[in-house]
Amino acid sequence: MPEMSYIILQNEQGDVQFVEMPASHAYQLSALNLRLHKELSKLTADNVPKLPKAIAECRALDLLDEKQSPTGGLDYINELERSFASIREAAYPLVSLLTEIRALQAQLEQWYEEEDLL
């Protein structure tokens, strides 16, 4: 089993989400999340998604609440890409953010294929 890490995300209401990532790529999701948060305020579109904030990374995750489960990294990044691709932005060069999202998406797809997890 490949080594995995977990990114803990928190939304504005305080709800947390756990994203399971290959350990080799976890920092990229954290960095991407921080960059997206930095740029969100510059977007002028009316349909900018609410993005949870990365608050922690960890190598092991023991969830005590059986109702909770981690979201797969590829599933999370695919949803992130869909939500940003649907933004109707005219004033900000959104393509640069989408390029960063899609670059990580491609890396994850390749990683999952190499690990025969797709």
Side-chain angles (χ1 to χ4, degrees):
M1 180 76 176
E3 186 177 358
M4 304 300 275
S5 288
Y6 299 87
I7 310 302
I8 302 169
L9 305 169
Q10 185 175 38
N11 67 19
E12 291 175 350
Q13 294 76 33
D15 298 324
V16 293
Q17 178 180 6
F18 309 95
V19 179
E20 183 180 62
M21 291 287 290
S24 57
H25 293 76
Y27 73 95
Q28 290 176 271
L29 179 58
S30 295
L32 176 62
N33 181 274
L34 294 173
R35 169 127 162 76
L36 292 175
H37 270 281
K38 181 179 169 186
E39 302 300 323
L40 278 178
S41 64
K42 299 176 185 176
L43 299 177
T44 60
D46 60 355
N47 65 330
V48 175
K50 297 290 184 195
L51 185 64
K53 188 167 186 156
I55 59 170
E57 276 185 44
C58 56
R59 290 288 177 149
L61 182 67
D62 293 323
L63 290 171
L64 304 177
D65 181 353
E66 58 192 42
K67 295 175 189 164
Q68 295 280 343
S69 64
T71 301
L74 188 55
D75 292 335
Y76 179 80
I77 200 77
N78 286 340
E79 181 57 36
L80 186 65
E81 191 277 336
R82 279 190 293 276
S83 64
F84 272 80
S86 70
I87 297 174
R88 297 177 302 275
E89 178 63 41
Y92 181 84
L94 186 63
V95 70
S96 65
L97 298 179
L98 277 168
T99 299
E100 289 183 47
I101 293 169
R102 290 173 177 155
L104 180 53
Q105 186 179 38
Q107 289 176 22
L108 285 175
E109 287 172 351
Q110 180 180 356
W111 185 90
Y112 279 92
E113 285 176 10
E114 288 173 359
E115 295 293 327
D116 289 322
L117 297 173
L118 280 182

